[in-house]
Amino acid sequence: MRAFRAGARLQLDIIGGSPDYLMEFATAPLFTLIFLMILRAGGREDLSSYAVLAPILILLWRQALTISGEVIDSDRWFGTLEPGIGAPAPLHWVVTGRISAVSIMGLLGVPETWLVAYLFGSEVSVHHPVVLVLTVGATILATTASGLLMSTAFVATRSARTFQNSLSYPFYVLGGVLVPVSLLPDWVQPLSRVVFLSWSADLLRDSLQPASIENVSPRLIVILLLAGLTYAVGRRSLSYVIDRARSTGTVGLA
Amino acid sequence: VSSFLAGARVLKYAGLSGFQDYATMFTLKSWLLGWFLRVLAQVTFFALIGELIGSTARLHFILVGNAVMLASMEAMGAVPSTTWERRAGTFPLLIAGPTSPVVVLMGRSVQWLPSGVASATGAFFLLGPLFGLEMPFPRVLLVVPLIVLVALSTYMLGTFLGALVLRAMEARNLVFNISFMTLMAMCGVNVPLEFYPEPILSLAQVLPLTHGLLAIRGVLESAPASEIVLRVGLEAGVGAFWLVMALLAFRRYLEAVRRDGSIEFAA
């Protein structure tokens, strides 16, 4: 647990030192504004809650992709991966702590987008606060797991890094972050259901609607199962990447 | 004449240097399977909001806006890539050379233009028919040169902002992201210009993309030729304005770093 906390503290220090790490907080209000404008111009202000939730999910995903995804690779660049591996604390706990800090920090996007909606004159109410909090918690866990998987994938294969910037919008569509998956073509929907964002987005939207929500527990369990599965694969990939780098003598290759 | 030719030669090599940078980022395969799929998904993502609203007209409006927006988004890549020259540590050499360094700085990001034009035209002609957008042939072909115009005028704004971020290099990506998203929010990409309050509407008139996009919408809606020509002229005028601003900003910056001795600093 100490390694986890130390990793989280380290990551917060790193984030505080570079404006690039705060990028998503700068773009989230613009996303909110654009979505709200489209809905208002289209006479669908009843969907304002969609416009507030989508930028939060985009922010979390983007952070997993860019900041968390680069945790191990940047250590390699800075030459700190060798001491990290050599230290007695398990590396996966340090990495998980760092990525968790990124994901939790992403929650600052919640008041941010809500404030933009308020200033824009759109009212968004929370009708099921418990569901909202539980879904946000599960989403943070799933985002952390995705960040771990990406951070190892980007180190395992250089070609994966080429596609780093390309994993944004395809997942926003598949994950139904703004437009529900039910509006996507039938053949896409099964694919969407293996992306945790689709479950999170649906449940978060439902938590802001007055209607009662069906199947809350099973839907939350699906998010947690996807998170657990992704984390298990990420952890295994991390071991594989580190073992391979050790055996080939490429730990410190930048 | 000889100094003009020398300038043109330097511009050519600055452009080649930019294309070399681009080649380290993408191969044709990774561009098509990575970047191009991403931009198709980006346009689809926004167009689907029209589906959510339940209006085909809105869907088509957003689709056209976001497809053309891709040209602007990539042209704004000039913001970070202008700073790459400083990071490479070539400024002292450029200043010592006989040709103005401004020529290099204006030319070293041109790789974003063909890339942006390819993304925008590809997305427009692939996704348009998929979403049932009417494409009156052969008028629709006019969209291609208009996208080139939009890319060029946005490039001028990008190089101007690039000149500004040379003083704060760590902010290059932040400025890039905020600036292209501001264009997306203010230039009639997702909502008609009439939607904006007066101050935003006035500002949109001096931003690239606004008039070029209106010209493209005019082509698709069979607007009178005079209206389209007027919009083309305004878009070109906006581009020329930002070109002058970029030249002034580069000149001012280069004078300042020579004066205070910070020319070799590559943050």
Side-chain angles (χ1 to χ4, degrees):
Chain A
M1 208 55 202
R2 257 173 49 199
F4 179 92
R5 279 203 306 268
R9 267 203 312 272
L10 167 70
Q11 191 61 38
L12 290 176
D13 283 347
I14 292 172
I15 288 172
S18 168
D20 268 6
Y21 288 125
L22 303 173
M23 180 107 65
E24 311 313 328
F25 294 104
T27 54
L30 287 166
F31 269 120
T32 314
L33 203 57
I34 290 169
F35 297 153
L36 285 169
M37 282 195 304
I38 297 174
L39 294 174
R40 184 174 288 181
R44 292 301 307 268
E45 280 201 88
D46 55 311
L47 300 176
S48 293
S49 57
Y50 288 37
V52 172
L53 291 172
I56 299 167
L57 291 170
I58 289 173
L59 185 153
L60 289 173
W61 184 256
R62 282 284 305 172
Q63 284 196 319
L65 206 54
T66 53
I67 309 177
S68 304
E70 290 180 3
V71 159
I72 301 173
D73 208 29
S74 61
D75 266 7
R76 228 177 177 192
W77 269 97
F78 294 130
T80 48
L81 190 56
E82 294 102 320
I85 291 172
L91 183 67
H92 72 267
W93 279 122
V94 178
V95 173
T96 304
R98 290 179 65 178
I99 293 174
S100 299
V102 175
S103 305
I104 291 167
M105 203 184 76
L107 289 178
L108 292 173
V110 177
E112 196 185 15
T113 57
W114 240 276
L115 179 66
V116 173
Y118 173 75
L119 294 173
F120 193 72
S122 297
E123 200 176 310
V124 178
S125 309
V126 180
H127 291 277
H128 303 279
V130 177
V131 177
L132 178 74
V133 170
L134 289 174
T135 310
V136 166
T139 303
I140 291 295
L141 290 176
T143 309
T144 302
S146 303
L148 178 69
L149 182 60
M150 286 186 239
S151 69
T152 54
F154 294 154
V155 176
T157 57
R158 304 307 299 172
S159 56
R161 190 69 190 270
T162 310
F163 295 98
Q164 182 184 15
N165 202 24
S166 307
L167 297 175
S168 51
Y169 281 94
F171 278 86
Y172 305 159
V173 175
L174 278 178
V177 299
L178 180 59
V179 177
V181 171
S182 55
L183 287 178
L184 299 180
D186 290 343
W187 61 271
V188 180
Q189 294 186 21
L191 203 57
S192 288
R193 288 309 176 193
V194 294
V195 178
F196 82 87
L197 287 170
S198 67
W199 297 91
S200 295
D202 280 348
L203 208 43
L204 287 170
R205 280 191 287 264
D206 286 353
S207 73
L208 302 186
Q209 302 299 324
S212 64
I213 311 173
E214 288 177 3
N215 302 321
V216 174
S217 302
R219 290 159 76 185
L220 275 172
I221 289 169
V222 172
I223 301 174
L224 293 172
L225 278 176
L226 286 170
L229 188 68
T230 311
Y231 188 80
V233 176
R235 170 109 188 251
R236 202 168 171 80
S237 308
L238 179 63
S239 302
Y240 167 77
V241 164
I242 298 301
D243 287 348
R244 195 182 63 169
R246 271 176 170 155
S247 62
T248 54
T250 54
V251 174
L253 275 191
Chain B
V1 174
S2 64
S3 68
F4 175 78
L5 286 177
R9 214 170 63 122
V10 170
L11 193 62
K12 182 182 125 187
Y13 282 108
L16 281 175
S17 153
F19 280 107
Q20 288 301 321
D21 280 339
Y22 197 76
T24 62
M25 283 188 273
F26 293 111
T27 59
L28 182 62
K29 190 175 147 194
S30 66
W31 191 89
L32 283 170
L33 296 177
W35 180 253
F36 190 57
L37 278 184
R38 184 253 200 214
V39 296
L40 289 180
Q42 180 173 333
V43 178
T44 303
F45 173 78
F46 282 98
L48 283 172
I49 307 176
E51 181 88 14
L52 177 69
I53 291 171
S55 159
T56 308
R58 289 278 168 196
L59 186 154
H60 289 160
F61 185 92
I62 296 169
L63 172 78
V64 172
N66 281 278
V68 177
M69 173 69 217
L70 295 174
S72 285
M73 183 180 82
E74 292 196 49
M76 289 301 273
V79 178
S81 62
T82 299
T83 66
W84 298 348
E85 199 60 41
R86 191 176 184 201
R87 291 190 85 175
T90 55
F91 270 28
L93 297 170
L94 292 175
I95 285 178
T99 310
S100 168
V102 173
V103 179
V104 175
L105 292 169
M106 286 305 299
R108 68 103 52 239
S109 301
V110 289
Q111 70 274 17
W112 302 115
L113 296 176
S115 177
V117 169
S119 298
T121 47
F124 179 81
F125 284 104
L126 271 174
L127 295 177
L130 267 179
F131 281 97
L133 177 70
E134 231 173 273
M135 297 185 144
F137 190 82
R139 276 174 74 97
V140 71
L141 296 178
L142 281 173
V143 167
V144 181
L146 291 172
I147 285 175
V148 174
L149 175 66
V150 166
L152 276 168
S153 62
T154 313
Y155 181 76
M156 303 310 168
L157 174 64
T159 47
F160 167 70
L161 294 173
L164 297 187
V165 297
L166 280 171
R167 296 167 193 268
M169 304 239 291
E170 66 283 1
R172 62 192 179 278
N173 293 323
L174 195 62
V175 172
F176 161 64
N177 276 282
I178 291 176
S179 52
F180 86 72
M181 286 205 64
T182 303
L183 293 183
M184 194 187 258
M186 290 172 56
C187 296
V189 172
N190 290 297
V191 293
L193 286 172
E194 305 84 62
F195 179 82
Y196 300 119
E198 189 50 49
I200 305 274
L201 189 59
S202 304
L203 189 58
Q205 306 302 315
V206 292
L207 289 176
L209 179 65
T210 304
H211 301 288
L213 186 52
L214 281 175
I216 288 170
R217 294 196 196 281
V219 165
L220 296 174
E221 290 157 11
S222 301
S226 57
E227 195 184 313
I228 295 168
V229 170
L230 173 70
R231 291 295 169 189
V232 167
L234 286 170
E235 183 75 18
V238 167
F241 167 72
W242 289 111
L243 169 64
V244 172
M245 294 297 285
L247 293 174
L248 290 173
F250 277 133
R251 201 152 292 173
R252 212 184 142 113
Y253 167 77
L254 291 167
E255 280 167 14
V257 291
R258 266 194 289 195
R259 198 169 32 239
D260 65 19
S262 63
I263 196 162
E264 286 194 65
F265 293 157

